[in-house]
Amino acid sequence: MTTSRRNILIAASGLATGSLARPALAQRAVPPKPDRIVVNASGGSMTNNLRRFYFNEFEREHGIRIIDSSPVDFGKLRAMVNSGNPEWTVTEIGGQDGDRAKELNLLEPIDTSIVDLSRYPAIGRQSHIFVGATSSTALGYRTDVFPDGTQPKGWADFWNVRRFPGPRSLRNHPVDNLEFALLADGVPMDQLYPLDMDRAFRKLEEIRSHIAVWWSTGAQPAQMLVDREVVLTSGWNGRFFELTRRGAPVATEFAQGSLRSSAWGIPRGTRNAYWGQQLLQTFTNPRLQAAYATELSYAGLHPDTINYVPEDIRPLLPAAPENLARQFWMNVAWWTENGARAQERWNRWMLRR
């Protein structure tokens, strides 16, 4: 472990919270501390890292134990709230379910007298959803095939098979691919939505015969690059990040990447909502966000976070300012409304191969 990396992990392990200014709490009585709260998340290694970088800090600061549960389950969240007795204090909310949860009145509003979002960008200041770690579907490539900045720098380049030859891969799913096709066809990032599906599928038809593999699992793109099965692929930045840090000839081009973030909420009516708000405040700590990002590449949106990330890691993070500026945020509301229609059309298109 490098010295800079070791220092940031030390800072995250107990010194971080006490050294940061906290928002002023509203003038009200603090409710009694429970002995535990329940936090529902994705499970597996993701929950292990949440505990390592966030849960342990919350427990040290507040003296309340966190019991973790999994998996993320929108149906269970709705059933719990409707029963009037949610067992979860805080829950991760998957995919495009954040807007649905708010519309169905399943979540407590975020209490900004506790959860300090004052310095967050607009996308991170939502009324009922806490925007967590940021990830990107970006362009991965082999650095031995495209050395020294010669890689495609956007989706028009990805579509340019003469200038950038070699086998390619895209995900077997309409999400991201419709946006990438429109970008390849010249649509500006800030004018993508509402997506023109007719135009997107016409552009996808141009690249179709050059796609060697339509990937379906998150591990596939990175592995295909390592195996040289493809030299260019879309993929989840965290998978490329792991390979780059291990010295593999794999890198990420963030130009025109598709950004999204994890989403968290406090189920409406949960008994310990105040302490759930305190956990969300722990999530805002930029030193903890930096430690999490240094390990996994997924950084939160506090503007100070990047200052605590080792310099060699910063270019690999989708939330680094220079990378954020070159990407777009996936429009969750559009996909919530149109996702089923897009998927049905995608399925028909794939069957015509």
Side-chain angles (χ1 to χ4, degrees):
M1 181 181 290
T2 66
T3 301
S4 57
R5 187 176 171 202
R6 184 184 301 111
N7 289 343
I8 198 169
L9 296 178
I10 291 171
S13 69
L15 301 178
T17 302
S19 64
L20 295 172
R22 298 293 298 275
L25 298 182
Q27 296 300 312
R28 64 182 176 189
V30 174
K33 288 185 180 182
D35 65 342
R36 67 187 66 188
I37 62 173
V38 179
V39 178
N40 188 62
S42 301
S45 62
M46 191 64 70
T47 296
N48 292 340
N49 282 296
L50 287 168
R51 174 160 296 283
R52 182 180 174 195
F53 296 112
Y54 294 110
F55 295 175
N56 289 343
E57 180 62 33
F58 174 88
E59 291 178 345
R60 279 191 290 268
E61 183 178 0
H62 297 289
I64 299 170
R65 189 154 58 101
I66 289 179
I67 305 298
D68 59 78
S69 71
S70 63
V72 175
D73 188 330
F74 185 83
K76 189 172 182 179
L77 168 64
R78 181 163 51 185
M80 282 183 180
V81 171
N82 290 340
S83 76
N85 188 30
E87 66 179 82
W88 300 335
T89 309
V90 174
T91 183
E92 188 177 354
I93 301 171
Q96 295 136 37
D97 288 333
D99 284 356
R100 290 177 61 207
K102 179 183 175 182
E103 289 170 5
L104 294 173
N105 195 26
L106 301 181
L107 302 173
E108 298 281 344
I110 293 177
D111 186 344
T112 54
S113 73
I114 298 173
V115 187
D116 184 6
L117 302 176
S118 60
R119 296 184 59 207
Y120 270 54
I123 198 164
R125 298 194 303 270
Q126 299 187 33
S127 61
H128 291 69
I129 295 293
F130 177 79
V131 175
T134 302
S135 62
S136 176
T137 303
L139 198 160
Y141 64 95
R142 283 192 63 100
T143 56
D144 53 352
V145 177
F146 302 104
D148 304 321
T150 63
Q151 78 277 5
K153 297 178 178 64
W155 297 102
D157 286 350
F158 183 93
W159 256 248
N160 190 336
V161 296
R162 291 186 178 180
R163 184 179 173 193
F164 302 97
R168 290 151 157 73
S169 182
L170 289 171
R171 186 184 178 193
N172 186 2
H173 202 282
V175 171
D176 296 327
N177 281 332
L178 298 189
E179 287 92 335
F180 296 160
L182 291 171
L183 291 166
D185 207 36
V187 177
M189 286 195 301
D190 61 355
Q191 297 176 32
L192 277 172
Y193 299 97
L195 298 180
D196 183 337
M197 282 204 280
D198 291 338
R199 183 174 177 179
F201 276 98
R202 283 197 299 271
K203 193 65 176 178
L204 282 163
E205 197 65 44
E206 295 179 14
I207 198 69
R208 182 175 186 153
S209 63
H210 301 281
I211 301 301
V213 179
W214 295 92
W215 60 269
S216 57
T217 68
Q220 274 183 277
Q223 190 59 52
M224 286 189 294
L225 287 174
V226 169
D227 295 343
R228 210 183 172 104
E229 187 175 352
V230 300
V231 298
L232 294 171
T233 182
S234 65
W236 299 336
N237 75 279
R239 301 288 187 167
F240 303 145
F241 173 84
E242 294 172 7
L243 293 174
T244 301
R245 293 192 66 186
R246 294 205 305 261
V250 171
T252 307
E253 172 55 61
F254 284 106
Q256 299 182 329
S258 176
L259 291 161
R260 66 209 68 190
S261 68
S262 60
W264 298 85
I266 298 172
R268 181 170 58 83
T270 192
R271 289 186 301 276
N272 296 304
Y274 173 87
W275 300 105
Q277 304 281 358
Q278 292 289 352
L279 177 60
L280 296 185
Q281 170 58 20
T282 299
F283 284 172
T284 71
N285 186 315
R287 291 182 184 268
L288 301 180
Q289 290 185 5
Y292 189 86
T294 299
E295 203 64 13
L296 301 173
S297 85
Y298 304 130
L301 291 178
H302 194 291
D304 289 343
T305 294
I306 200 69
N307 299 331
Y308 301 110
V309 174
E311 289 188 14
D312 61 323
I313 298 296
R314 294 176 192 178
L316 308 181
L317 304 184
E322 62 274 18
N323 290 332
L324 271 178
R326 299 188 296 143
Q327 299 178 85
F328 65 92
W329 286 96
M330 187 188 76
N331 189 316
V332 173
W334 190 91
W335 279 103
T336 300
E337 181 178 351
N338 298 282
R341 184 166 61 94
Q343 184 67 62
E344 181 181 350
R345 184 163 178 178
W346 179 269
N347 292 342
R348 292 199 308 269
W349 185 72
M350 292 298 289
L351 285 172
R352 293 205 308 269
R353 286 190 292 175

